Amino acid sequence: MKLVLGTMERITSRSNERIKSFLKLSSSSKERREQNLYAIEGARLCFDALISGEEIKEFYYTLHAEEKFKKQVDSLREKASASFVITEDVASKMSSTPSPQGLFCVARHRQNSLAFESKLCYIALDGIQDPSNLGAMARTAEALGIGGLILYNCCDIFNQKSLRASMGAFFRLPVIMTDDLPLLLRNRAIEGVLTVAAVPDRDSEDFSSLDFSQGAITVIGNEGNGVSQPVIEACMKKASIPMKGRAESLNAAAAGAIVMWEMMK
Amino acid sequence: MKLVLGTMERITSRSNERIKSFLKLSSSSKERREQNLYAIEGARLCFDALISGEEIKEFYYTLHAEEKFKKQVDSLREKASASFVITEDVASKMSSTPSPQGLFCVARHRQNSLAFESKLCYIALDGIQDPSNLGAMARTAEALGIGGLILYNCCDIFNQKSLRASMGAFFRLPVIMTDDLPLLLRNRAIEGVLTVAAVPDRDSEDFSSLDFSQGAITVIGNEGNGVSQPVIEACMKKASIPMKGRAESLNAAAAGAIVMWEMMK
């Protein structure tokens, strides 16, 4: 360890340029887009990024983290383009959690771009604004075996909350962003794919009655306003989850879970 | 309005005793338990509490809120045991959100205690620690028509985050807390109710293969550790949601949504 430490740059100042740059990536989606990089923290997420094939450009760790997460630190240090030892004080500056684990990475996303395959089921998200909802739906999609996510007017997947809630699903799940979801849906419909807007209307079709076996795209809408009108109009069907209770609707992540479950059964 | 204002106590100081007492209720589950009261904020949640029959002991509002949410403020002021006009400064002290709407209540929960009915389906939550997860599951339970919630070692339902995520479901949904879930489950099983532990084991039964028509209780476990061992042992069956992907498991709220959906179909 001493040998490695000897070759390792140490960062002791909270105002170090690299730390400032990390914080910008961590907090600004514009910065992430422009640099095509993102910032992550925590033993689990950093290691998950590494083993999912993400490109680790910078790796920051405290000596305490090295002791506690030896295996993860060794692997990350070996694969990262550059590694830095940081003090606890610097770690607390970098962290967006109350009790930082002392591991941070700057990474570049390996493109796992979505190529539509016939008979697979996909989820399109229309205007999801809560990063935790976005991450939770990615986690559910991966767990249930959804073919990929199509994002339209959503918040950034590389937001810290979103990445945390996704449990790393964004590193692996095929994802595309589109700026014309209605067009994409119409094109897929021509190919014989069922396109469905998930709506809370009690007079629409019941999700359980649909046949998803020839491939499908289901659109889940914004937390407050649901699927936008042009997207609903571009879909072949509207379907809902029948509700017995008083709550106007399920939250987006719960509705998403039920919809994905029905599609994949 | 002037007439009403004339009879209304005004609170302009952040260190007013009532405000201090509100903040204690808002932040401490111990305080809520001891006083048998809880604190809520926001037009939607306060009004929802009122129309759900909760007892509104104190109502606090800003003049700005009165203008913006006239209907809600009028109803709340009429029904509350005591009403107070507060300044924007006091509202920001009371609020747990970055942009407060300026409406706050202290309320007492009307007991909607759970009396088991045969053939109904119930959800038991074992050690749910994230208030947002707890609230989201209550919202889903109400939307899908679950008979009620059984809480065991969970966080407090009157936590602000929990209430917000529940969209008021806790005001209406029958809920009981138990300090011996294994015993409760064994007693229900004697009555012929199916008791199921939701587990991530791939070798357990598939949820879709179970018959919930004679009534059932399904237990959803803690976010990290799942259902506790004594509770699993007290259940008649273990069942899982078959997963195709890599994520070890769904998050508790997503798993809960799928389980409740399968129970209520």
Side-chain angles (χ1 to χ4, degrees):
Chain A
M1 194 184 86
K2 270 177 189 159
L3 190 69
V4 175
L5 251 180
T7 65
M8 205 61 55
E9 188 180 328
R10 285 196 66 151
I11 298 177
T12 55
S13 159
R14 291 162 77 107
S15 51
N16 179 289
E17 284 307 318
R18 288 194 180 272
I19 305 307
K20 281 190 198 163
S21 156
F22 178 93
L23 289 170
K24 269 189 209 156
L25 281 177
S26 176
S27 62
S28 156
S29 62
K30 183 167 171 281
E31 193 74 17
R32 291 192 287 269
R33 222 168 25 244
E34 282 175 9
Q35 294 204 42
N36 190 22
L37 292 171
Y38 61 88
I40 44 176
E41 88 171 270
R44 157 98 200 220
L45 210 53
C46 290
F47 192 59
D48 226 17
L50 178 73
I51 61 176
S52 303
E54 298 286 274
E55 191 184 339
I56 310 295
K57 308 292 284 184
E58 296 163 21
F59 171 46
Y60 300 86
Y61 62 97
T62 61
L63 294 180
H64 184 69
E66 184 178 27
E67 208 173 292
K68 193 162 173 197
F69 304 101
K70 179 133 191 39
K71 177 186 148 206
Q72 288 92 332
V73 168
D74 284 350
S75 308
L76 283 158
R77 196 168 41 198
E78 191 191 322
K79 294 285 171 54
S81 311
S83 296
F84 306 90
V85 176
I86 53 173
T87 59
E88 296 293 335
D89 180 53
V90 170
S92 79
K93 174 81 179 169
M94 294 169 84
S95 178
S96 57
T97 68
S99 34
Q101 294 181 318
L103 286 84
F104 306 84
C105 287
V106 169
R108 175 158 290 152
H109 186 43
R110 173 181 59 90
Q111 294 302 321
N112 41 7
S113 74
L114 188 158
F116 287 106
E117 288 179 50
S118 62
K119 305 208 176 177
L120 282 195
C121 287
Y122 298 87
I123 286 288
L125 300 177
D126 175 6
I128 294 294
Q129 289 309 308
D130 177 320
S132 303
N133 272 343
L134 185 65
M137 284 195 272
R139 181 178 173 186
T140 304
E142 187 185 30
L144 297 179
I146 290 288
L149 289 185
I150 302 155
L151 304 183
Y152 177 60
N153 294 333
C154 289
C155 56
D156 185 10
I157 60 174
F158 294 111
N159 177 296
Q160 300 277 0
K161 281 187 189 171
S162 170
L163 284 174
R164 262 202 302 276
S166 81
M167 295 289 263
F170 283 123
F171 303 146
R172 300 172 295 264
L173 196 67
V175 173
I176 53 166
M177 279 125 193
T178 176
D179 53 12
D180 195 343
L181 182 57
L183 181 66
L184 182 151
L185 290 166
R186 288 201 175 90
N187 286 341
R188 295 306 300 150
I190 293 167
E191 306 281 322
V193 169
L194 175 66
T195 57
V196 188
V199 294
D201 314 350
R202 282 176 201 256
D203 58 346
S204 61
E205 288 187 64
D206 180 341
F207 257 103
S208 348
S209 70
L210 297 179
D211 175 11
F212 295 106
S213 64
Q214 299 308 304
I217 300 174
T218 298
V219 188
I220 311 281
N222 170 269
E223 291 87 349
N225 306 317
V227 180
S228 58
Q229 200 52 40
V231 172
I232 292 180
E233 283 163 16
C235 285
M236 291 155 69
K237 287 180 187 282
K238 292 196 286 183
S240 69
I241 297 162
M243 275 178 274
K244 290 161 190 166
R246 187 183 166 289
E248 291 99 81
S249 67
L250 295 160
N251 80 28
I258 294 171
V259 164
M260 291 186 238
W261 169 249
E262 279 296 322
M263 290 176 89
M264 299 308 296
K265 273 171 79 168
Chain B
M1 194 186 86
K2 272 178 188 161
L3 190 68
V4 176
L5 252 180
T7 66
M8 206 62 54
E9 188 181 328
R10 287 194 65 151
I11 298 178
T12 55
S13 160
R14 292 162 77 108
S15 51
N16 179 291
E17 284 306 318
R18 288 193 180 273
I19 305 307
K20 282 191 199 162
S21 156
F22 178 94
L23 288 170
K24 269 189 211 156
L25 281 177
S26 175
S27 62
S28 156
S29 62
K30 182 166 171 281
E31 193 75 16
R32 291 192 286 270
R33 222 168 25 242
E34 282 174 9
Q35 294 203 40
N36 190 22
L37 292 171
Y38 61 89
I40 43 176
E41 86 170 274
R44 158 97 200 221
L45 209 53
C46 289
F47 192 59
D48 226 17
L50 178 72
I51 61 174
S52 303
E54 298 286 273
E55 191 185 339
I56 311 294
K57 308 293 283 183
E58 296 163 21
F59 171 46
Y60 300 86
Y61 63 96
T62 61
L63 293 179
H64 184 68
E66 184 178 27
E67 208 173 293
K68 194 161 173 199
F69 305 101
K70 179 132 191 42
K71 178 186 148 207
Q72 289 91 331
V73 168
D74 283 350
S75 308
L76 283 159
R77 195 166 44 197
E78 193 191 322
K79 295 284 171 55
S81 311
S83 296
F84 307 89
V85 177
I86 53 172
T87 60
E88 296 293 336
D89 180 53
V90 170
S92 79
K93 174 80 179 169
M94 293 169 84
S95 179
S96 57
T97 68
S99 34
Q101 294 181 319
L103 284 84
F104 306 84
C105 287
V106 169
R108 175 157 290 151
H109 187 43
R110 174 180 59 90
Q111 293 303 321
N112 40 8
S113 72
L114 189 158
F116 288 106
E117 288 179 50
S118 62
K119 305 208 175 177
L120 282 194
C121 287
Y122 298 87
I123 287 288
L125 300 176
D126 175 6
I128 293 294
Q129 289 308 308
D130 178 321
S132 303
N133 271 344
L134 185 66
M137 284 196 271
R139 181 177 173 187
T140 304
E142 187 186 31
L144 297 179
I146 290 287
L149 289 185
I150 303 155
L151 304 182
Y152 177 61
N153 293 334
C154 289
C155 56
D156 184 10
I157 60 175
F158 294 112
N159 177 296
Q160 300 277 0
K161 281 186 188 169
S162 169
L163 283 174
R164 262 203 301 278
S166 81
M167 295 288 262
F170 283 122
F171 303 146
R172 301 171 294 265
L173 197 67
V175 173
I176 53 166
M177 280 123 192
T178 175
D179 54 12
D180 195 342
L181 183 57
L183 181 66
L184 183 151
L185 291 165
R186 289 201 175 91
N187 286 341
R188 296 305 300 150
I190 294 168
E191 307 281 321
V193 169
L194 175 67
T195 56
V196 187
V199 294
D201 314 351
R202 283 176 200 255
D203 59 347
S204 61
E205 289 187 63
D206 180 341
F207 257 103
S208 346
S209 70
L210 297 180
D211 175 11
F212 295 105
S213 63
Q214 299 309 304
I217 300 174
T218 298
V219 188
I220 312 280
N222 169 269
E223 291 87 350
N225 307 317
V227 180
S228 56
Q229 200 52 39
V231 171
I232 291 180
E233 283 163 17
C235 286
M236 291 154 69
K237 287 180 187 282
K238 292 195 287 182
S240 69
I241 297 161
M243 275 178 275
K244 291 161 189 167
R246 185 182 166 290
E248 291 99 80
S249 69
L250 295 159
N251 80 28
I258 294 170
V259 165
M260 291 187 238
W261 169 249
E262 279 296 323
M263 291 176 89
M264 298 308 295
K265 273 171 80 167

